[in-house]
Amino acid sequence: MSSATGSFSAPAQVHAFDGLLSDFDGTIVDSTNAIVKHWHQIGDELGVDPKTILATSHGRRSIDTLRLYDQTKANWDYVNEIEGQIPKRYGSDAVEIPGGRDLLAALETSGAKWGVVTSGTRPLVDGWLKALNLPHPKNLVTAMDVTNGKPDPSCYLLGRKQLGIEDSTSIVVLEDAPSGIKAGKAAGFKVLALTTTHSLHQLQEAGADWIVEDLRSISIKAVVDGQVQIEIRNAYQ
């Protein structure tokens, strides 16, 4: 989404970072249709209007969403079970975000320090990676690994620790949701946001450093002295 005052047309720019951390759902994989079906099913079971749940569920851990409606279901056994079922039931309803497959392949082969930081559970991530035949990140922070979900920065700080660069703030975060952008910024990192699930205005308000339409605007140029060089094209200006 763009406004009359700007467009996705910024000249290509290359930035170097010690590491890259990416959100998963909405950033690498688009499973919106599957998630909508999932929350409709859960909403029916809980007797809650699914639209009410969906208005606040994106970018938030399921356990935090469920706490709002049924404390008895807000436990990891239940959350792992229901999220693990999503790719099995609705596997055909997900696709990679445009450019996602190429970006993951480039990160894998370049030797860059990178990882995925998601509000989803491990069964959910594993299921989508298998269903879409995408590379599995060696470094993965999931909903169960932190006490507080996004916008709390602890997930991204844990991601940095997994990369082995705890003293660095030279890290770029890829995100699609305001809660994730706020988490990345609170961790002290740069955030590159995608307009895949939220409006340009929402991403700007959350504090994104760059905004692009999807991952086709991002490519890995090289890894030099341990730093990954990332080219950003057609950012909003």
Side-chain angles (χ1 to χ4, degrees):
M1 296 177 66
S2 61
S3 67
T5 57
S7 62
F8 290 95
S9 58
Q13 46 188 293
V14 177
H15 298 273
F17 300 97
D18 291 337
L20 179 149
L21 295 170
S22 179
D23 175 52
F24 188 70
D25 209 344
T27 303
I28 295 172
V29 169
D30 178 3
S31 62
T32 303
N33 291 338
I35 298 300
V36 168
K37 290 178 181 177
H38 161 71
W39 281 119
H40 270 81
Q41 178 194 336
I42 300 299
D44 289 344
E45 290 174 13
L46 298 178
V48 179
D49 184 349
K51 291 177 183 175
T52 303
I53 301 176
L54 287 163
T56 58
S57 63
H58 190 84
R60 173 187 259 174
R61 300 185 304 173
S62 290
I63 198 164
D64 296 328
T65 299
L66 288 166
R67 281 192 184 113
L68 301 174
Y69 305 106
D70 188 342
Q71 290 279 352
T72 66
K73 298 241 184 328
N75 64 79
W76 287 119
D77 287 340
Y78 179 74
V79 171
N80 277 314
E81 180 187 340
I82 61 168
E83 288 202 356
Q85 290 298 318
I86 297 172
K88 295 173 184 174
R89 287 179 177 162
Y90 312 116
S92 60
D93 288 308
V95 294
E96 67 265 20
I97 294 292
R101 189 177 298 273
D102 290 343
L103 181 67
L104 290 189
L107 286 167
E108 279 282 274
T109 57
S110 67
K113 292 187 176 80
W114 73 284
V116 165
V117 176
T118 176
S119 297
T121 58
R122 193 168 292 269
L124 180 66
V125 175
D126 288 346
W128 285 134
L129 292 172
K130 183 177 179 182
L132 296 171
N133 194 27
L134 291 168
H136 201 290
K138 295 180 184 70
N139 300 296
L140 175 62
V141 176
T142 67
M144 285 184 69
D145 297 325
V146 291
T147 303
N148 298 308
K150 301 171 184 178
D152 189 278
S154 55
C155 56
Y156 278 115
L157 294 172
L158 180 57
R160 175 178 66 179
K161 185 177 181 180
Q162 286 189 0
L163 299 185
I165 46 175
E166 282 187 79
D167 295 331
S168 176
T169 54
S170 174
I171 291 168
V172 64
V173 165
L174 308 184
E175 267 287 356
D176 69 298
S179 60
I181 294 169
K182 290 173 183 175
K185 294 302 294 181
F189 307 155
K190 295 289 188 184
V191 178
L192 198 167
L194 284 62
T195 58
T196 46
T197 62
H198 288 77
S199 71
L200 177 70
H201 178 67
Q202 288 173 306
L203 305 181
Q204 289 172 323
E205 273 201 329
D209 295 282
W210 303 276
I211 302 174
V212 296
E213 292 180 290
D214 56 45
L215 293 176
R216 289 174 295 186
S217 290
I218 306 165
S219 57
I220 307 302
K221 302 305 287 182
V223 174
V224 179
D225 297 329
Q227 285 200 311
V228 57
Q229 296 182 351
I230 299 171
E231 183 177 84
I232 304 170
R233 298 176 301 279
N234 299 318
Y236 184 80
Q237 64 172 1

